[in-house]
């Protein structure tokens, strides 16, 4: 029953996709990446990375590129010294670009602020002096719990500048989540705001800090930025940003730190267990963030306007709003609010307003745009967009095509970037202008990166085969451990393929016939139907390829005959029509899946739902859907972005209309 008929395949390969989009000659000719980059990295990996590290300013040059003798703890650019904030700010001013806008900040209510590199240098210097005045220096931990305001970026860079580690906690997390992250990292300082704008209204933020700090004795001070001007309770630990920071000198001399000096801790929640404090260091991290941002997004610092829609509470905000882009002298948009405030066209208003040319977002948002309808972007001039990116989840081929057609004008290359909080920077992605893109595939490891798909025994699967995605070479921006828990670091990432020395990322993947990599979702979510190991991603993509479906989540629910049966939850597209949720339409959907990937993957049951349960970073929580599918009481919903979603789903089920 559990034996896979596919010759011990860890995962069956069911869905095939034949569309490919070669780059235009014009794009290829001007692209930062050229095919030789792959050859160069292959010829001498360490020399290749040494060359990428030259992108940065080093106060003292390294004497060894990589020391892997303490595996799985790597040291990169050993002996080198640099200041990360200097690399992201000061050197651009010194090279004559002080008047270039670094950040076009757009507030949710419509206020805005253009911050040049010269201004950024002054703001970061003042904030660094403020930290020093509080006695915060090298190795201290600072928790940052803020919405997307410019001060959040100043604060991160100020920490980097004085060698303190920031621990950014997403502003949508609860007081309890904040408290555990402050405690685990023993933060001495918290930086926050009075409140934050959410869907058009100010919401308080500082009360959560008060509650968290009451239970976290390590905190000595709390700096509060005034954002919403709401009244806040005040304790003797509190100090206003505008009083403390604005009175500081705007001159600050950065000190160079060791390449392996810790830069930040970022907690990943995962689906089980206590959050893991992922530790990143300086030289290798900044090298890979800078290198990937330059080549994957084809950044032209003099002409591009870049926009990454992530929140700084996630690693994407760290690597692709703060460190990668600013080290490359980007001009970027930072938007504070939600995509449907004041209406569902807000992102496209912003693209038009600033002439955004590179746009990087998540599949969950693309599918939301699909649900809202293509007529919304169609009302805007999006012709400035020339590169599109995706991150966070597998992007279903149909969502990819929708993105290309409706946002990218049918021509902007799409880079589907696979990486993790743990990897620190992009690992697998097509290089625009070099690789012909394929809808739904992250395709190949970047030059300098080693990744492959292996079976249970750690042996690479052949083209067309499925299995586990592993990283088989250390990389500069790799995590340097889990804060305070070496054992857990070894166990979580290095024990599954210990003999081979592979890092196992937890994701299933396959090779297509050309050897390109397709991510298939977390291996914990794999379904076993009559001995076939079926990925959730492939069935979801088959559902989304039907013209009425915007988004789908599937789970395996125990089944007397087949071991597990596939239960699907779908959200319909805007304009799908009133009959799209009816019994006949549901039958048509099941048949569609059977036609796309085979009868074995035909869902046992399909339910039409208004929303799906997602974490705050947009990942579907299949665990909760499994509870629904197996008629269990729904488990812990505290990490859901919107906990009422499960009530909506259950209510829909009781009415019985959506059952097949
Ligand atoms: C997990 C890491 C990386 C920044 C945001 C998420 C999934 C990420 C892709 C992609 C398929 C992807 C994986 C990975 N994931 N990007 N392009 N295609 N899956 O960071 O919260 O650490 O999550 O996100 O499952 O392991 P994270």
């Amino acid at each position: 029953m559990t034996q896979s008929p596919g010759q011990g395949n860890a995962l069956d390969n069911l869905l095939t996709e034949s569309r490919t989009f070669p780059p235009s000659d014009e794009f290829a000719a001007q692209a930062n990446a050229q095919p030789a980059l792959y050859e160069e990295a292959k010829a001498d990996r360490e020399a290749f990375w040494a060359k990428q590290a030259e992108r940065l300013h080093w106060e003292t040059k390294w004497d060894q590129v990589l020391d892997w003798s303490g595996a799985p703890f790597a040291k990169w650019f050993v002996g080198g010294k640099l200041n990360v904030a200097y690399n992201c700010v000061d050197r651009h001013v010194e090279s004559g670009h002080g008047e270039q806008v670094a950040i076009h900040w757009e507030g949710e209510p419509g206020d805005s602020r253009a911050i040049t590199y010269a201004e950024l240098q002054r703001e970061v210097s003042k904030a660094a002096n403020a930290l020093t005045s509080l006695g915060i220096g090298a190795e201290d931990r600072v928790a940052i719990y803020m919405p997307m305001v410019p001060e959040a970026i100043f604060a991160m860079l100020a920490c980097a500048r004085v060698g303190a580690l920031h621990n950014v906690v997403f502003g949508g997390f609860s007081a309890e989540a904040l408290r555990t992250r402050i405690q685990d990292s023993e933060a001495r300082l918290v930086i926050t705001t009075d409140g934050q704008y959410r869907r058009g209204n100010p919401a308080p933020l500082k009360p959560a800090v008060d509650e968290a700090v009451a239970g976290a004795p390590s905190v000595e001070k709390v700096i509060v930025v005034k954002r919403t001007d709401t009244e806040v309770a005040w304790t003797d630990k509190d100090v206003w940003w505008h009083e403390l920071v604005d009175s500081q000198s705007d001159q600050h001399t950065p000190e160079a730190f060791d390449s392996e000096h810790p830069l930040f801790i970022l907690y990943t929640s995962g689906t089980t267990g206590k959050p893991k404090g992922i530790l990143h260091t300086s030289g290798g991290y900044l090298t890979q963030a800078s290198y990937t941002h330059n080549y994957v997004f084809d950044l032209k610092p003099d002409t591009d306007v870049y926009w990454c829609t992530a929140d700084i509470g996630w690693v994407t905000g760290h690597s692709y709003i703060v460190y990668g882009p600013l080290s490359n002298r980007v001009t970027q948009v930072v938007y504070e609010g939600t995509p449907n405030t004041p209406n569902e066209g807000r992102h496209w208003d912003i693209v038009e307003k600033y002439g955004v040319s590179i746009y990087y977002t998540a599949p969950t948002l693309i599918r939301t745009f699909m649900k809202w309808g293509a007529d919304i972007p169609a009302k805007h001039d999006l012709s400035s967009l020339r590169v599109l990116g995706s991150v966070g989840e597998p992007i279903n081929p149909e969502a990819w095509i929708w993105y290309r057609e409706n946002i990218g004008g049918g021509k902007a290359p799409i880079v589907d970037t696979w990486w993790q909080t743990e990897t620190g920077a992009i690992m697998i992605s097509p290089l625009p202008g070099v690789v012909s893109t394929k809808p739904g595939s992250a395709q190949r490891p970047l030059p300098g990166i080693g990744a492959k798909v292996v079976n249970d025994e750690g042996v690479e699967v052949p083209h067309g085969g499925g299995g586990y995605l592993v990283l088989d070479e250390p990389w500069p921006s790799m995590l340097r451990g889990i804060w305070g828990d070496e054992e857990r670091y070894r166990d979580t990432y290095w024990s599954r393929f210990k003999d081979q020395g592979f890092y196992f990322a937890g994701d299933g993947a396959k090779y297509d016939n050309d050897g390109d990599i397709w991510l298939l979702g977390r291996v914990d979510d794999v379904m076993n139907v009559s001995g076939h190991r079926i990925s959730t991603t492939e069935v979801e993509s088959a559902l989304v390829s039907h013209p009425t479906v915007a988004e789908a989540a599937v789970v395996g629910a125990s089944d007397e005959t087949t071991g597990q049966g596939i239960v699907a939850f779908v959200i319909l597209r805007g304009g799908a029509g009133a009959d799209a949720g009816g019994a006949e339409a549901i039958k048509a959907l099941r048949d569609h899946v059977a036609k796309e990937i085979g009868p074995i993957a035909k869902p046992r049951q399909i339910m039409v739902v208004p929303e799906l349960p997602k974490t705050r970073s947009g990942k579907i929580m299949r665990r909760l859907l499994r509870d629904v599918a197996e008629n269990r009481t729904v488990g812990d919903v505290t990490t859901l972005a919107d906990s009422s979603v499960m009530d909506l789903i259950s209510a829909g089920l009781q009415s019985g209309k959506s059952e097949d």
Side-chain angles (χ1 to χ4, degrees), residues 44 275 298 473 525 527 568:
D44 188 340
D298 193 47
E473 301 273 10
D525 290 330
M527 305 173 289

Side-chain angles (χ1 to χ4, degrees), residues 72-84:
F73 293 91
K75 289 191 177 127
W76 281 86
F77 309 114
V78 185
K81 284 189 193 307
L82 79 171
N83 186 286
V84 168

